[in-house]
Amino acid sequence: MRGWFLPLAVAFGFIFLYAPIISLVVFSFNESRLVTVWGGFSTRWYGELLRDRQILGSAWISLQVAFASATLATVVGTLGAFVLTRFSSFTGRLLLTGMITAPLVMPEVITGLSLLLLFVSMELTLGWPAGRGLTTIIIAHTTFCSAFVAVIAQSRLRSMDESLEEAARDLGAGPVRVFFDVTLPVIAPALVAGWLLAFTLSLDDLVIASFVSGPGASTLPMVIFSKVRLGVSPDINALATIIIGFVLVAVLIAGWLMRRALRKGG
Amino acid sequence: MSAGNALTRSAPWRGTAWLVGKLGISGRTLVIAIPMLWLGVFFLAPFFVLGRISLAEALIARPPYTPLFERGPDGSLQIIASLENYRFLMTDALYRNAYLSSIRVALVSTIFALLIGYPIAYYIARAPEPKRSILLLMVILPFWTSFLLRVYAWMGFLRSNGVINNTLISLGIIDAPLRMMQTDFAVYIGIVYTYLPFMILPLYANLTKLDGALLEAASDLGASPFVTFFTVTLPLSLPGIVAGSMLVFIPAIGEYVIPALLGGPDTLMIGRVLWDEFFSSRDWPVASAVAIVMLVLVVAPIMWLQSVQNRREDG
């Protein structure tokens, strides 16, 4: 694997990963409506994007959904991980283990369809949830995101020094105090990471949201998908560039913070 | 004052604690109940609803399927359930082909992802430290941008007047644009592109643990780098290969967005068939049956394999 082959294969791999993204960004500044034919530099598609009420409205809905479901998923996922790592035996332990890992491998179409059918049956028998929209999307996203949070929280809870919790208990703290004053501060960075992952997954989901949403509650991916289906359009390039810019800035800030924390710690 | 202390002393907390104690529920039970109930209601219960509706018949009504119980003419309760939808799936060639071609597409994509991902993982695992972190970050970075927009990027790339065709024509390599969009080839590219980080990361994690002394020993004993790779590195990285392949294969099977945007009308994949059955034909019972068969044929073996693997790691 030495010599020319390996660097060449790696270069090819990174070109494969980045060339489409770079061309997406470049053509977002294209004057021409034909996305892939260069017609001069222009920012007109950004202007058009900012005037597009449908896209702005759905972006607002997506952000609300992502914020609510990431927060709920962090609560459900952390509790699930805590129960599985700290309570050695209880009825339904095996069931909970299965329910918390299965969403990771479940195809989205199955999760989406089965949840929609549940919501419809619940509405018929219990009268709730009335219709589908923001609430049902948040419930659906919380459910699949909590599995991802649980994986992250579980690995942190396992690696954490349990003698800290023991010491707090020996000093007379009740279980609630031990959790909030000892466990939670230790696992907090993992929970922040879990929250961010859940937020991203929720923002990104098209399939599950399409099944469980109702009229008037279209998330950003749903609007993008309906536009993109008809072919490439330059304002979507502009939107993609903005999103990529956000991610890049967020990653750079996170990297800088992490480096600072490492320097302080070391 | 600490957060936990403030919480346990607050009036609402003490009120709740008193009520919970009065009802004879321990705090422990309550903590177990929250994730258990949420996932039980919103993850497990839907599968029972799915199974029950797969036994119904489609109706033009609200809801668009027949009820499970019906009062007979004599007032007795009758259960209406039929396996008609499943019989339909077994006899109609469309569905059988869709299942088979989903597996084929997922398999081919997984192999390509492995062929592209392995050298990258190997190279990163061997790289010195600052370079290693940067390359690793570059692999993960695209994963944080929208999945949908990454698939969209390939639409602009593969179209007949897209970037690839325009470049090849202006270089004089081809005269007429190649037809790449709406083919199985485009679907393979989309899947490999989307899931490549999932292949690289487990491989990388495995290859960094590889003991360099083993490679040295092999070369000291006269093995060429080529032989060393195939007799030492490759067999030792098998767990990473299996983990990465699973992470690509599993989501690829049920994929809907990639075949819908990049595939042609003849690209059959089971996720797409389910979607069309639900959104276009509005046949909820058949869509449910498709999902149940997908669950039994594809997901169950994978989940079983994973639980076996988990048990081996724990034990």
Side-chain angles (χ1 to χ4, degrees):
Chain A
M1 293 280 276
R2 245 171 245 152
W4 53 269
F5 172 74
L6 194 58
L8 199 73
V10 173
F12 170 77
F14 277 106
I15 290 172
F16 176 68
L17 273 179
Y18 281 92
I21 296 180
I22 291 168
S23 104
L24 196 70
V25 172
V26 168
F27 281 103
S28 77
F29 295 105
N30 188 6
E31 169 68 40
S32 163
R33 178 167 279 284
L34 292 166
V35 173
T36 47
V37 181
W38 189 251
F41 181 85
S42 145
T43 52
R44 79 182 248 221
W45 303 113
Y46 289 87
E48 224 145 279
L49 187 71
L50 291 178
R51 281 187 294 274
D52 192 328
R53 296 215 159 264
Q54 199 194 4
I55 284 193
L56 291 183
S58 66
W60 174 234
I61 288 178
S62 273
L63 286 174
Q64 283 173 293
V65 168
F67 186 84
S69 24
T71 310
L72 278 171
T74 306
V75 174
V76 175
T78 308
L79 282 176
F82 181 79
V83 164
L84 286 178
T85 46
R86 292 296 186 266
F87 300 164
S88 52
S89 69
F90 57 90
T91 5
R93 194 189 146 82
L94 197 68
L95 180 70
L96 187 62
T97 314
M99 288 197 301
I100 226 158
T101 46
L104 299 172
V105 295
M106 197 55 63
E108 289 168 315
V109 279
I110 296 185
T111 311
L113 176 65
S114 62
L115 262 170
L116 168 83
L117 297 177
L118 175 85
F119 290 141
V120 170
S121 315
M122 278 172 80
E123 191 184 2
L124 286 172
T125 49
L126 308 172
W128 183 90
R132 284 169 299 284
L134 222 54
T135 319
T136 48
I137 306 177
I138 291 172
I139 292 174
H141 281 186
T142 302
T143 307
F144 89 90
C145 289
S146 61
F148 288 87
V149 176
V151 170
I152 296 177
Q154 231 171 335
S155 73
R156 187 70 193 93
L157 281 165
R158 280 218 185 98
S159 65
M160 140 180 199
D161 187 359
E162 278 185 61
S163 58
L164 289 174
E165 291 166 335
E166 247 166 66
R169 263 195 299 276
D170 288 349
L171 292 170
V176 177
R177 269 199 80 178
V178 173
F179 181 77
F180 280 98
D181 287 348
V182 180
T183 316
L184 202 56
V186 173
I187 64 169
L191 298 192
V192 172
W195 190 92
L196 280 174
L197 180 63
F199 188 83
T200 321
L201 288 171
S202 167
L203 267 190
D204 213 16
D205 167 66
L206 163 75
V207 173
I208 296 175
S210 300
F211 275 101
V212 300
S213 101
S218 293
T219 61
L220 187 59
M222 288 165 70
V223 172
I224 295 176
F225 185 66
S226 65
K227 278 187 176 250
V228 159
R229 251 195 150 169
L230 306 171
V232 282
S233 74
D235 48 339
I236 298 295
N237 282 45
L239 180 67
T241 305
I242 292 174
I243 292 177
I244 291 166
F246 261 116
V247 170
L248 210 60
V249 169
V251 167
L252 288 178
I253 290 176
W256 179 72
L257 284 176
M258 235 150 53
R259 194 172 261 195
R260 216 178 55 160
L262 275 181
R263 224 175 271 157
K264 255 188 202 162
Chain B
M1 195 159 66
S2 68
N5 202 5
L7 180 70
T8 47
R9 280 195 186 166
S10 68
W13 175 268
R14 280 195 288 181
T16 321
W18 176 82
L19 191 71
V20 165
K22 204 75 174 159
L23 289 169
I25 308 169
S26 71
R28 189 183 134 106
T29 312
L30 207 65
V31 170
I32 297 173
I34 294 170
M36 198 77 127
L37 277 178
W38 184 286
L39 291 169
V41 171
F42 296 120
F43 183 73
L44 196 60
F47 291 108
F48 292 103
V49 181
L50 192 71
R52 167 246 176 283
I53 290 174
S54 76
L55 301 174
E57 243 175 86
L59 280 182
I60 302 175
R62 278 187 72 142
Y65 48 84
T66 51
L68 183 58
F69 299 106
E70 200 166 67
R71 293 236 172 251
D74 52 344
S76 63
L77 263 184
Q78 290 176 324
I79 298 177
I80 316 171
S82 83
L83 293 169
E84 180 54 36
N85 294 324
Y86 291 97
R87 207 185 59 79
F88 174 60
L89 293 191
M90 295 306 147
T91 49
D92 197 315
L94 170 85
Y95 299 97
R96 207 174 35 238
N97 291 342
Y99 284 110
L100 290 177
S101 91
S102 293
I103 293 174
R104 194 196 72 233
V105 168
L107 206 63
V108 172
S109 314
T110 308
I111 292 168
F112 275 108
L114 183 63
L115 290 178
I116 298 175
Y118 200 102
I120 298 181
Y122 185 89
Y123 185 79
I124 297 177
R126 291 269 160 284
E129 195 22 80
K131 194 176 169 191
R132 180 194 280 202
S133 298
I134 292 168
L135 287 178
L136 207 56
L137 182 70
M138 278 178 69
V139 167
I140 305 170
L141 205 57
F143 168 76
W144 289 91
T145 65
S146 164
F147 155 68
L148 190 56
L149 292 173
R150 273 179 294 147
V151 177
Y152 167 74
W154 277 101
M155 291 175 71
F157 235 56
L158 296 173
R159 277 181 339 146
S160 45
N161 61 346
V163 176
I164 292 180
N165 272 320
N166 287 352
T167 315
L168 289 177
I169 289 174
S170 63
L171 290 174
I173 296 172
I174 51 170
D175 302 322
L178 297 170
R179 187 172 166 267
M180 289 179 287
M181 267 296 281
Q182 304 202 325
T183 59
D184 284 2
F185 170 71
V187 176
Y188 295 144
I189 287 202
I191 293 176
V192 171
Y193 185 70
T194 306
Y195 297 111
L196 194 58
F198 294 101
M199 177 62 89
I200 294 177
L201 292 179
L203 275 175
Y204 162 80
N206 176 279
L207 286 168
T208 41
K209 281 186 287 186
L210 192 69
D211 190 352
L214 291 173
L215 303 181
E216 252 170 65
S219 79
D220 286 351
L221 292 170
S224 68
F226 187 76
V227 172
T228 310
F229 175 76
F230 281 99
T231 54
V232 180
T233 313
L234 198 62
L236 282 175
S237 61
L238 210 59
I241 294 177
V242 172
S245 301
M246 293 263 277
L247 287 180
V248 177
F249 185 78
I250 297 167
I253 287 264
E255 190 54 57
Y256 164 71
V257 177
I258 296 170
L261 289 182
L262 299 176
D266 53 334
T267 310
L268 266 183
M269 283 193 73
I270 200 63
R272 201 175 172 192
V273 168
L274 192 157
W275 179 286
D276 290 340
E277 208 61 69
F278 180 81
F279 286 101
S280 309
S281 317
R282 304 206 167 268
D283 194 331
W284 293 17
V286 167
S288 306
V290 171
I292 293 279
V293 173
M294 186 166 159
L295 210 57
V296 172
L297 280 185
V298 182
V299 182
I302 290 165
M303 276 162 63
W304 175 77
L305 206 69
Q306 228 183 13
S307 77
V308 168
Q309 224 174 7
N310 285 347
R311 230 171 286 153
R312 211 176 286 153
E313 273 166 24
D314 286 344

